[in-house]
Amino acid sequence: EGEDVLKNISLKINSGKMIAIVGATGSGKSTLVNVLGRFYEHQKGTIKIGNTEINDINLDHLRNNIAIVLQDLFLFSDTIHNNITLGDESISRERVIHASKAVGAHGFISKLPDGYDYSIGERGSVLSVGQRQLLAFIRAYVYQPEILILDEATSSVDNESESLIQKATMKLTKDRTSIVIAHRLSTIQKADCIVVMESGQVVEMGTHDELLSKGGKYKNLYEKQSFKSA
């Protein structure tokens, strides 16, 4: 109370474009996402979707049109199909398979005993981290959200899975308003705009190439990661 987490932020995200948000732990990236989904209510300023103030949008309508893919996916002790549809019977098997093929997950699901009817156990413990993350992408794809938020969706996967998830990210974000919080900067180089945050404020903004040429915070983060992976 009385301490602003996000300060002096002015952002415009154009419809159908992908914006990436980067910064150190505690810089305010996830808080920004939570405000957009109204998991936190903002005390000051204005947030609009189109010309409508976010607080004037019915909460169910808002949440039905925003898909959030988190780093830590919750899976139920149920079938692959039900974990994707979350029990929504209006989503057909054909739609699920189409989404799975689109994000590159149909192959591994088909190889499971019983395929989409395979029960994955508590929290999906029989699946790899990458496979669980791909299920989160399928979940988002079947609902065809207007706005997509990916919150550190590739930070805990291995290199092989990261390649698959990068392809899934490109498929899912194509022509869709997307906000990607990224730990691995290699995953967001093609973003239309990259926003660098520090201590709850925007300190840099631009494309990957523009930010590298500035020689500031983003270039420093990028070079540190490139050195580690070399």
Side-chain angles (χ1 to χ4, degrees), residues 120-140:
I120 58 176
E122 195 67 36
R123 294 189 67 86
S125 56
V126 298
L127 303 177
S128 71
V129 173
Q131 288 170 338
R132 293 200 294 272
Q133 205 62 39
L134 282 171
L135 289 188
F137 277 74
I138 304 168
R139 260 186 199 171

Side-chain angles (χ1 to χ4, degrees), residues 14-229:
N14 292 319
S15 178
K17 301 296 183 181
M18 173 181 165
I19 185 170
I21 303 172
V22 303
T25 301
S27 61
K29 304 185 301 295
S30 292
T31 301
L32 191 59
V33 165
N34 281 316
V35 166
L36 293 175
R38 284 185 62 194
F39 298 106
Y40 300 159
E41 298 289 1
H42 63 288
Q43 279 82 42
K44 300 176 187 174
T46 302
I47 301 171
K48 290 183 177 180
I49 297 179
N51 295 317
T52 306
E53 162 66 42
I54 198 169
N55 287 343
D56 293 335
I57 300 172
N58 175 275
L59 191 56
D60 284 342
H61 181 76
L62 179 71
R63 299 261 174 91
N64 283 336
N65 285 281
I66 297 179
I68 302 178
V69 179
L70 301 171
Q71 176 184 345
D72 186 22
L73 170 69
F74 187 86
L75 292 170
F76 299 93
S77 182
D78 206 332
T79 64
I80 294 275
H81 178 91
N82 288 342
N83 267 287
I84 291 169
T85 64
L86 299 175
D88 186 340
E89 294 180 0
S90 69
I91 299 174
S92 67
R93 176 61 59 90
E94 289 73 25
R95 191 165 146 195
V96 168
I97 292 173
H98 173 75
S100 300
K101 287 179 176 177
V103 302
H106 181 67
F108 94 79
I109 295 173
S110 299
K111 291 175 183 175
L112 294 171
D114 301 321
Y116 289 86
D117 293 316
Y118 179 63
S119 187
I120 58 176
E122 195 67 36
R123 294 189 67 86
S125 56
V126 298
L127 303 177
S128 71
V129 173
Q131 288 170 338
R132 293 200 294 272
Q133 205 62 39
L134 282 171
L135 289 188
F137 277 74
I138 304 168
R139 260 186 199 171
Y141 195 95
V142 293
Y143 280 94
Q144 291 293 305
E146 294 290 328
I147 297 171
L148 174 70
I149 297 173
L150 305 181
D151 189 353
E152 302 275 19
T154 63
S155 63
S156 59
V157 300
D158 55 49
N159 289 335
E160 184 179 346
S161 297
E162 183 185 352
S163 176
L164 271 176
I165 288 171
Q166 272 190 266
K167 290 177 184 174
T169 300
M170 296 311 295
K171 183 74 177 180
L172 205 54
T173 57
K174 182 175 171 57
D175 300 325
R176 179 174 283 116
T177 307
S178 307
I179 302 160
V180 180
I181 293 179
H183 174 71
R184 297 189 189 188
L185 302 186
S186 58
T187 62
I188 48 92
Q189 292 179 23
K190 293 182 181 178
D192 295 291
C193 180
I194 299 170
V195 176
V196 185
M197 292 189 67
E198 186 176 80
S199 303
Q201 299 186 73
V202 174
V203 292
E204 288 180 343
M205 199 183 309
T207 65
H208 172 74
D209 290 337
E210 287 169 351
L211 291 175
L212 285 183
S213 67
K214 284 181 181 178
K217 298 279 185 185
Y218 180 81
K219 185 178 182 182
N220 187 39
L221 285 169
Y222 183 75
E223 287 181 344
K224 280 182 179 177
Q225 287 198 7
S226 299
F227 178 75
K228 282 181 182 178
S229 59

Side-chain angles (χ1 to χ4, degrees), residues 2-26:
E3 183 177 342
D4 293 337
V5 178
L6 302 175
K7 301 177 276 286
N8 304 318
I9 290 180
S10 179
L11 282 177
K12 181 178 180 181
I13 303 172
N14 292 319
S15 178
K17 301 296 183 181
M18 173 181 165
I19 185 170
I21 303 172
V22 303
T25 301

